[in-house]
Amino acid sequence: MFGFLSAVGSALLLIWAVYVICVPSAMLKLLGFLLRHSFIRLRVFGLDNLPASGPVLLVSNHISMLDLLLIQSLSKRPVRFMVNAEIAHYLPTRFIFWYLGVIVVPSARHPREMRQFFSEVRNRLHEGEVLCLFPEGGISGNGNLMRFRSGVEPLLPTNVGVTIIPIRIGMLHGRLFHVVNGRLRCRLPESLPVDFSIIYGAPVEPTLSPFELRQKISELGAEAEKLPQPGELPFHTALLYRAKRKPFRTLFIDAATGRKLNIFMALVGGILLSRKVRTLNRGETEYVGVLLPNGTVAAATLLGVLYADRTPAVINYSAGQDV
């Protein structure tokens, strides 16, 4: 009896393994499940905005090679992604994108391929599939939203109600896997689990311009990331803990002069300045205005205000004399 049950269990396990390998969405779900229960602590907002049926077009920012995995792992339905040709044909990941069956977004310099792309997208939406578009056209180099190259209205088939869902993925840039100067980089996290966030917004109108669509996704990130993270500390407090481990690690680099400021120098400067800030008259407010050009000096000044138990109010250096 035990041998029979063992044989049945082995057969079912083999069938499941074949299914996972042959169905890319199932593979992504499995990898996402493993990551979310080991290395990643994912905060999800608005998942109930994702329809259970009907054609859906997801519109997301693109900041990491893990974006596809996270989006598919949270969807009960298979998601087919649209990936820029430069990324899809990138040699180290070309097989992965082929296996996932992504829709390659060709260059506008190839009108014939572009017409085929629009036709394929409209046909799949007409059949009720879930597609995901990254309108930035590539992976963000700094984690911020880049300019959206187009809206979504040209992708939609006529006489079909397609639900447009904006998505914002946060806290992922520069962590684990990312692209720097066209090369795939892997960065080991300093602590586990790594905190990420993904926000599903309410459906939007398909007639939104690229700027309006970008604004919607930007607002999603502002709403979600202003919430405190698990175990989050104030910046100046977290910096003290970091200084115990790596005191001479570069903290800031002045883009104009190339001057570097390490953690130890920033702490010393901030603590010394805090003594002066504490002597200032508090008046009726806890805020201290900071009017300095962006640079390492401004960063150290902000630390000094924080260490004086005051709140810095950063004023735009180019705001003019009326400030």
Side-chain angles (χ1 to χ4, degrees):
M1 185 65 179
F2 177 78
F4 173 75
L5 293 177
S6 177
V8 171
S10 300
L12 292 176
L13 182 61
L14 178 61
I15 294 173
W16 177 79
V18 172
Y19 170 77
V20 169
I21 294 174
C22 295
V23 180
S25 61
M27 176 63 76
L28 286 179
K29 280 181 174 292
L30 176 61
L31 293 177
F33 176 84
L34 294 176
L35 283 176
R36 288 165 55 195
H37 290 79
S38 55
F39 301 108
I40 292 177
R41 180 164 49 198
L42 183 63
R43 301 194 307 162
V44 183
F45 304 89
L47 188 58
D48 54 343
N49 289 323
L50 192 61
S53 61
V56 179
L57 179 59
L58 307 176
V59 184
S60 174
N61 62 320
H62 198 14
I63 54 178
S64 169
M65 301 297 291
L66 294 178
D67 296 348
L68 286 71
L69 188 152
L70 294 178
I71 292 174
Q72 179 60 85
S73 67
L74 295 172
S75 174
K76 296 180 180 180
R77 303 167 61 188
V79 179
R80 190 176 297 273
F81 297 90
M82 290 175 264
V83 179
N84 187 275
E86 295 180 0
I87 300 176
H89 296 154
Y90 181 54
L91 187 59
T93 56
R94 183 181 300 177
F95 172 78
I96 297 177
F97 288 123
W98 170 84
Y99 168 72
L100 296 177
V102 302
I103 301 175
V104 179
V105 182
S107 170
R109 294 173 295 182
H110 302 89
R112 181 179 177 182
E113 296 179 5
M114 186 62 72
R115 287 194 297 269
Q116 294 175 349
F117 162 72
F118 278 108
S119 177
E120 181 179 2
V121 170
R122 291 167 184 157
N123 289 337
R124 292 189 179 277
L125 288 174
H126 192 273
E127 294 172 358
E129 292 191 17
V130 180
L131 304 185
C132 182
L133 171 69
F134 301 108
E136 294 170 283
I139 297 177
S140 172
N142 56 12
N144 296 324
L145 280 175
M146 299 187 295
R147 178 179 65 88
F148 281 18
R149 297 189 177 185
S150 66
V152 299
E153 192 172 13
L155 297 172
L156 306 181
T158 57
N159 302 323
V160 177
V162 180
T163 305
I164 315 297
I165 302 293
I167 297 177
R168 172 61 187 251
I169 301 174
M171 303 181 65
L172 188 56
H173 171 72
R175 309 172 81 175
L176 299 181
F177 299 100
H178 59 291
V179 176
V180 178
N181 297 327
R183 296 184 178 183
L184 181 65
R185 302 291 188 185
C186 177
R187 178 181 178 184
L188 296 178
E190 297 184 357
S191 61
L192 294 174
V194 182
D195 291 306
F196 298 146
S197 65
I198 183 167
I199 310 98
Y200 290 80
V204 299
E205 294 295 327
T207 55
L208 291 182
S209 67
F211 174 80
E212 293 171 326
L213 191 58
R214 181 182 182 276
Q215 189 69 19
K216 286 285 186 182
I217 295 178
S218 180
E219 291 172 358
L220 290 177
E223 288 296 322
E225 295 187 16
K226 70 181 182 181
L227 299 175
Q229 306 298 319
E232 183 178 11
L233 297 173
F235 172 74
H236 58 299
T237 304
L239 191 62
L240 291 173
Y241 287 98
R242 178 66 64 88
K244 293 172 60 178
R245 293 180 293 175
K246 299 179 180 179
F248 300 107
R249 184 172 183 176
T250 300
L251 182 63
F252 301 112
I253 300 178
D254 196 316
T257 64
R259 179 185 177 187
K260 296 182 179 180
L261 186 68
N262 61 37
I263 296 177
F264 177 76
M265 294 171 60
L267 283 177
V268 171
I271 292 173
L272 292 176
L273 181 60
S274 69
R275 297 183 178 182
K276 180 65 177 178
V277 176
R278 289 180 185 274
T279 65
L280 300 177
N281 183 13
R282 288 182 177 266
E284 298 180 355
T285 179
E286 295 293 324
Y287 294 95
V288 175
V290 178
L291 180 61
L292 290 172
N294 294 333
T296 54
V297 174
T301 302
L302 295 178
L303 281 174
V305 175
L306 291 171
Y307 284 127
D309 295 328
R310 305 285 291 274
T311 303
V314 181
I315 304 173
N316 193 334
Y317 185 73
S318 59
Q321 297 181 356
D322 296 334
V323 175

